[in-house]
Amino acid sequence: MYTVAYKGEGIRCSPLCNVILAIAFADLAIAFLDLALAFLDLALAFLDLALAFLDLALAFLDLAIAFLDIAIAFVDLALAFIDIAIAFVDCTYSQTKNRYEK
């Protein structure tokens, strides 16, 4: 059944031995395919990780821009109060000047 005989030229196996050998090579090929797929999954995982870090960097950039917008808004608010104060002083000065010139 599983006998192996040597006939001068090479080793001769029974047909069942050849079938088992073919199945073993098929299993080996499947194992290499699984290994290749595992490496592909690993590469995709690293790509996902890199994209996640990029998303995080973009989120921090958006946060920095938002804080810059807030700072600009406060500067605009301060300038508006200065404009109001100047307008109030100008209006008061004009009224006072007009009152004494009459």
Side-chain angles (χ1 to χ4, degrees):
M1 206 191 221
Y2 294 108
T3 59
V4 176
Y6 180 69
K7 294 269 189 179
E9 299 166 358
I11 297 176
R12 185 181 55 119
C13 296
S14 67
L16 183 57
C17 184
N18 289 333
V19 170
I20 292 172
L21 185 63
I23 291 171
F25 277 120
D27 287 343
L28 184 64
I30 291 171
F32 277 116
L33 181 63
D34 288 343
L35 184 63
L37 290 174
F39 278 117
L40 181 63
D41 286 343
L42 183 64
L44 290 175
F46 277 117
L47 181 63
D48 287 344
L49 184 63
L51 290 174
F53 277 118
L54 181 63
D55 287 344
L56 182 64
L58 291 175
F60 277 117
L61 182 62
D62 287 345
L63 185 64
I65 290 171
F67 279 119
L68 184 63
D69 288 344
I70 289 172
I72 290 170
F74 277 119
V75 169
D76 289 344
L77 185 63
L79 292 174
F81 278 122
I82 290 171
D83 288 343
I84 290 172
I86 290 171
F88 178 75
V89 168
D90 187 43
C91 183
T92 304
Y93 174 75
S94 295
Q95 286 178 355
T96 304
K97 183 179 172 189
N98 288 339
R99 185 181 317 154
Y100 289 113
E101 287 180 355
K102 288 183 183 178

